[in-house]
Amino acid sequence: MDLEAESIVSIDTGMSQDIAESCNKLLETQKQISTAEEQLKKLKEVESTLSEQTIPNLMQQAGVSMIKLSDGSSVEVKPFYSARIPASKSEEAFHWLRENGHGDLIKNQVSLEFGMKQDNEAKSLVEELKQKGLAVQQKTSVHPSSLRGFVREQIQDLGKDVPAELFGTYVANKTKITTKE
């Protein structure tokens, strides 16, 4: 008996048509999603330009940092900070933080996976575990919110520079519109 011949399933032509139509609908839907995502990306670029450049520049030229509109809304330009340590610069960035007295920002996570009935081994120190040949993984990181706050504090409050190439710093003014509700 030929096993391959038994695995062939016949599909009636009506069902084949339904599958083909559904596949075409899926492709069209995916195309619409792609178009919508591209439109959203362009709208976000326009929003960013208006919020971070156009309105702050106009308000700076007018010599104001906040205005109230006739409908009760207010428009205010405030500094905005962003920072992210690129993976390729993490060791340099951690070194810089430690050397400049900010090593407490660095989180140090040590993890180890144990099998069942290894509770006693889990209580041992990391060095003891390494000596026993258990695979210990160590991860160092700086929480994004902590890094953003640190960068803001250094630049805004203390007037100090931080290495932009190490921390991926981005500083801009952002427009905030508060509507009256």
Side-chain angles (χ1 to χ4, degrees):
M1 183 184 274
D2 185 20
L3 291 176
E4 199 172 302
E6 284 184 31
S7 65
I8 296 175
V9 177
S10 64
I11 301 176
D12 69 45
T13 55
M15 187 60 84
S16 296
Q17 183 65 31
D18 290 346
I19 293 171
E21 287 174 6
S22 293
C23 288
N24 286 334
K25 187 174 182 177
L26 173 60
L27 289 172
E28 181 58 33
T29 301
Q30 289 173 336
K31 184 177 176 184
Q32 289 173 353
I33 290 170
S34 179
T35 300
E37 286 174 342
E38 191 60 38
Q39 289 173 339
L40 180 61
K41 181 180 173 186
K42 288 177 184 177
L43 284 171
K44 286 185 176 193
E45 288 172 4
V46 170
E47 175 196 32
S48 178
T49 300
L50 286 168
S51 176
E52 297 177 14
Q53 295 174 17
T54 306
I55 295 171
N57 289 344
L58 289 170
M59 290 181 68
Q60 183 181 19
Q61 290 171 9
V64 295
S65 62
M66 183 173 137
I67 59 173
K68 295 262 186 201
L69 303 177
S70 60
D71 69 354
S73 300
S74 64
V75 178
E76 184 175 15
V77 174
K78 289 184 165 186
F80 168 79
Y81 296 87
S82 175
R84 183 187 61 79
I85 298 172
S88 63
K89 299 284 187 181
S90 63
E91 287 305 314
E92 283 180 75
F94 293 159
H95 177 74
W96 187 92
L97 286 169
R98 288 180 181 113
E99 290 295 312
N100 288 277
H102 306 290
D104 56 339
L105 284 171
I106 301 169
K107 290 186 177 183
N108 203 336
Q109 180 181 1
V110 177
S111 62
L112 177 62
E113 290 188 30
F114 290 92
M116 295 186 331
K117 300 180 183 177
Q118 289 186 306
D119 288 342
N120 291 335
E121 288 90 349
K123 294 176 184 175
S124 299
L125 296 171
V126 171
E127 288 304 314
E128 291 173 2
L129 294 173
K130 286 181 180 179
Q131 291 174 4
K132 292 179 181 180
L134 296 171
V136 176
Q137 295 177 342
Q138 185 175 12
K139 178 183 174 189
T140 55
S141 66
V142 175
H143 193 277
S145 296
S146 299
L147 182 62
R148 184 173 51 247
F150 167 74
V151 167
R152 180 180 57 245
E153 175 190 58
Q154 294 298 300
I155 296 172
Q156 181 176 302
D157 300 344
L158 303 176
K160 294 182 178 180
D161 289 329
V162 292
E165 70 281 359
L166 295 182
F167 300 111
T169 53
Y170 174 72
V171 179
N173 288 317
K174 228 176 190 162
T175 303
K176 179 182 177 188
I177 299 176
T178 307
T179 57
K180 184 179 177 183
E181 292 190 34

